[in-house]
């Protein structure tokens, strides 16, 4: 294992965990403090369909069942990252709709990329877990897109190869690709 090339990746609350490892600050609802739990060994993150900011954008359900979402601060995330969001991901946690899951991209500092998966719900075209058959939006094309773009990003951000990432950026620029759009800042 090359310990100089560690990337944290996760889906949903796993994506929030990946964010915490690169600087996302989550305020403890009991103490009111937010600790820096980042790990300097983690050079980048991939956050798939993960939570956005809290505050008045949370539903009453989220305030009650996920109080750690009430106050998240993305401004300390400086490591490179890829955020993957479905444009149909209507979570019961936010009143804002699918754009809520783009917050790790829009509210953190530069060096980020956002893959918007067209028609993607929370499962981004895949299934929810090992030996599970249910999904919100089964679509092998979406799954292949997420797989190919995340692999290209991993190879790019770790310095292994930049060609696939450059091809993905070119193919997914603008709104011409039927499965998604890739943008960077």
């Amino acid at each position: 294992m090359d310990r100089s090339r560690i990337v944290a990746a996760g889906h949903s609350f796993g994506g929030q965990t990946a964010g915490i490892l690169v600087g996302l600050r989550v305020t403890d609802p009991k103490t009111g403090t937010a600790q820096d739990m980042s790990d300097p060994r983690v050079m980048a993150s991939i956050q798939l369909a993960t939570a956005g900011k809290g505050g008045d954008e949370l539903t009453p359900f989220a305030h009650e069942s996920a109080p750690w979402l009430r106050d998240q601060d993305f401004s300390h995330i400086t490591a490179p990252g890829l955020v993957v969001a479905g444009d149909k991901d209507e979570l019961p946690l936010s009143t804002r709709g699918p754009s809520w899951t783009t917050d790790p991209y829009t509210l953190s500092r530069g060096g980020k990329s956002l893959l918007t998966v067209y028609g993607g719900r929370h499962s981004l075209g895949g299934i929810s877990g090992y030996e599970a058959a249910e999904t919100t939006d089964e679509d092998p094309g979406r799954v292949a897109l997420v797989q190919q773009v995340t692999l290209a990003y991993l190879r790019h951000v770790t310095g292994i190869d930049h060609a696939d990432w450059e091809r993905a950026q070119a193919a997914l620029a603008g709104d011409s690709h039927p499965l998604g759009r890739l943008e960077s800042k």
Side-chain angles (χ1 to χ4, degrees), residues 81-84 105 112-118 145 148-150 152-153 164-177 179-185:
L82 172 64
V83 175
V84 180
Y105 171 76
K112 305 291 181 295
S113 295
L114 171 64
L115 172 63
T116 302
V117 180
Y118 297 150
L145 175 72
Q148 291 164 6
V149 172
T150 55
Y153 181 76
D164 288 342
W165 180 245
E166 290 167 3
R167 281 192 288 278
Q169 287 180 306
L172 296 163
D175 291 322
S176 62
H177 197 282
L179 292 175
R181 176 182 68 245
L182 181 61
E183 58 192 273
S184 298
K185 64 177 185 173

Side-chain angles (χ1 to χ4, degrees), residues 102-165:
T102 67
D103 284 353
Y105 171 76
T106 58
L107 299 177
S108 62
R109 298 189 208 171
K112 305 291 181 295
S113 295
L114 171 64
L115 172 63
T116 302
V117 180
Y118 297 150
R121 296 188 186 276
H122 199 60
S123 296
L124 299 169
I127 57 173
S128 61
Y130 187 71
E131 293 186 14
E134 72 279 354
T135 185
T136 57
D137 60 333
E138 182 178 354
D139 187 306
R142 286 189 199 113
V143 172
L145 175 72
V146 172
Q147 176 192 29
Q148 291 164 6
V149 172
T150 55
L151 181 58
Y153 181 76
L154 281 169
R155 293 175 54 76
H156 162 72
V157 78
T158 57
I160 294 171
D161 178 59
H162 302 290
D164 288 342
W165 180 245

